[in-house]
Amino acid sequence: MTSKARGQSGRKLQIWTSVLLASSMLTGVGHALAQDAGTNTVEEIIITAQKRSEDMQDVPISVQALGGEKLDTLQVSDFGDFVKFLPSVSVQSTAPGFGSVYMRGVASGGDGNHSGPLPSVGIYLDEQPITTIQGALDVHVYDIERVEALAGPQGTLYGASSQAGTIRIITNKPQIGVLKGAVDVEVNQISDGGAGYTAEGFVNVPISDQAALRVVGWYVRDGGYIDNVKGTRTYPTWGGTINNNAIAKEDYNDVDTMGARAALKIDLTEDWTVTPSIMAQTQKSDGNFSYDPNVGDLKLTHFYPEGAKDKWYQAALAVEGKVGNLDVIYAGSFLKRDVNTQSDYSDYSFFYDTLFGYGSYWVDDLNNPINPSQYIQGIDRYKKESHEFRISTPGENPLRMVGGLFYQNQTHGIQQRYKIDGLGSAIEVPGWSDTLWLTKQDRSDKDMAVFGEITYDFTEKLSVTGGIRAFKAENGLKGFFGFGAGYSSGTGEAACFGPAVVKGSPCTNLNKITEEDGYTHRLNVTYKIDDDKMVYGTWSTGYRPGGINRRGTLPPYDSDFLTNYELGWKTSWLQNSLRWNGAVYLERWDDFQFAILGSNGLTEIKNAAQAEMYGVESDVVWRPTNGLTLSGGGAWTNAELSENYCGFVDAKGNPVTKCPAPLAPAGTELPITPKFKANLTARYEFVLGEFDAHVQGSMVTQTSSWTDLRLAERAIIGEQKGWTSFDFSTGLETGAWSMQVYFQNLTDERASLYRYAQCAESVCGGQTYIVPNQPRTIGFRLGREF
């Protein structure tokens, strides 16, 4: 780093330090105001971010938590519902279950391909990681205790995919000696769209004095709101015209989700508990979740059936106990996920025919030109196994420790068929009818680690924590990708060097493994001003493993590392009726992995350059009067390249940053993350006759963002404009009954969540799609507890 860059970073840290000290000086004002405060205290939230149960206000980490009651009042049903209320989190999503998650601007764009980089944000269900290569599981949110979002590198207590942060979904556990349950039903209607409904419930059943079972089930029907309108397409080389009359349909992106979760808690002794659990879900989505602005609002014209079936289950086991005064826990899981997809890929065919005359190559057995339209049939088979064993000393000791071992092995069976109906057998991939291109590969990612953190209280106010995680990671990719030898003389089958190693593939043209090891660390200093206020400083690192490029002629890509400098505060004011937390940070991202679509639509991953992120994030909860609660949060993020991105590496695999025409020069804003994102919720609870009533309004807003790092590509795709949406609800409760009417996206704001083209922007950029938020939705919910 140049002396100029170091000076700029130093000035930023000085400014942020001043801000933090100023907030600390407000404690005197807080003591004065507290004399007039009422007794409307803010709810205490217990979290397990540091692998032990603690009051969130005592945890020196930038963490936002949404409790179970908060999730209910916000009508949170799935992953996308709660992410919008997490200011430091951004999502790039194309459909349910296919979303890439980012935190604090650590995003380069282009992630989510089956042969691409691992995610930079880890997603956990209780103690077990559930992140797969093409997106986090779309876990249905019901009977959930809380959601925790840990911003910044979590590379000490969490693993490789927690480079930029971690999101944890914590379920309600079985309660011994308690018989209770609930049933909730809902109906809703999307503006100018389809209708939906939900039925969900849980029961907690005591089995004995030492055991209990909790079972949860749900079925959700989400109405569609994208219209596939009738249209035609004429191919210049082939000369024919196709239409979509057979599949044109209004509101064709409906979704059906059904699933269940069961957990059994057994107290073996006074000190030892075993909790086996299983969760399973099937989600079937039809259509496409984007629209073509050239066709119309919430409309597109596609010519082949589209949809996905996402089926998964996770079996998990947690064993908790004590050995002497040590807390011991084992957490293990096995995840199996099967995804079948089909999608229209005729844009690729049309533009390659229009621009390059490719239609002349796509012929039948008699060498006659055929309809060149392509469509994709995909089958993805995931398996993920994880094991963690850790011990910790009592949390009340001045010297305390947590440490353990972690192992994870995940595999991904990849099958992608790019099909053209009637394709001649001479140019097919051998053994795969009508298949122009085939990907038939097995990917494996393994990582193991030993980790530990030690905290020492030097005084009642001052504590220091140091932690380290030593890791070893391995990535392998083998199998076949490409054309048949009758179509290409240099790629695909023609490039095979051996017989098939992946069942069903014609031969093998890729079989590589890469390994690496290293460590990450965390150093934290915490100072408690008084019982209600504390400040902290953190220096931490996180990493993401490297891997194999699918294009075998390219070298493997290296791991990338994130270094985080953070100053934060956790404060309560006015006799705990006001809670204000926040953090300022500076992060440096070295040699970050960047994925692009290269020739033949192959993903290429290269280590790009350096980037720097700095910003501030804060959240507030205030109960000014009896019944009224105001809560909100915001994040301002500046994420940009600190060196040029030239798009290639040197002979040793190091990114080249000095070139006459960089694809993105230093100072270019990183994609996906908006500069500013915030939310605000006001809830008023009151008594209405014999009922407990409430009214609530929420606002979510964010500024504009880009979907690509490279200047030429973002000029083609366009900028994602900023947006603001509003939700409103009102309801009544009496005894065990509750009912609620809600409006989501009340003003029917049309947000742009993602913009994309089907193939490389320089070719398919003339057909850009926009993934919107869901239009205005009106719903009625009825619940009964027993």
Side-chain angles (χ1 to χ4, degrees), residues 70 213 369 379 422 468 552:
K70 182 78 168 181
L213 176 69
I379 298 176
I468 193 168

Side-chain angles (χ1 to χ4, degrees), residues 465-482:
T465 299
I468 193 168
R469 186 183 188 96
F471 66 84
K472 183 176 181 180
E474 176 187 294
N475 171 260
L477 190 61
K478 63 183 180 181
F480 174 85
F481 67 97

Side-chain angles (χ1 to χ4, degrees), residues 217-265:
W218 59 89
Y219 183 89
V220 182
R221 168 73 172 185
D222 293 317
Y225 49 87
I226 301 294
D227 297 339
N228 188 18
V229 302
K230 291 183 178 181
T232 61
R233 168 168 278 169
T234 300
Y235 290 88
T237 301
W238 173 48
T241 298
I242 62 173
N243 65 66
N244 67 341
N245 293 345
I247 64 168
K249 182 182 177 182
E250 291 185 347
D251 309 325
Y252 87 134
N253 63 321
D254 49 79
V255 184
D256 290 284
T257 305
M258 60 184 301
R261 185 176 76 241
L264 175 66
K265 182 178 180 180

Side-chain angles (χ1 to χ4, degrees), residues 203-218:
V203 61
N204 189 98
V205 181
I207 298 175
S208 68
D209 293 340
Q210 295 177 294
L213 176 69
R214 195 179 190 100
V215 180
V216 187
W218 59 89

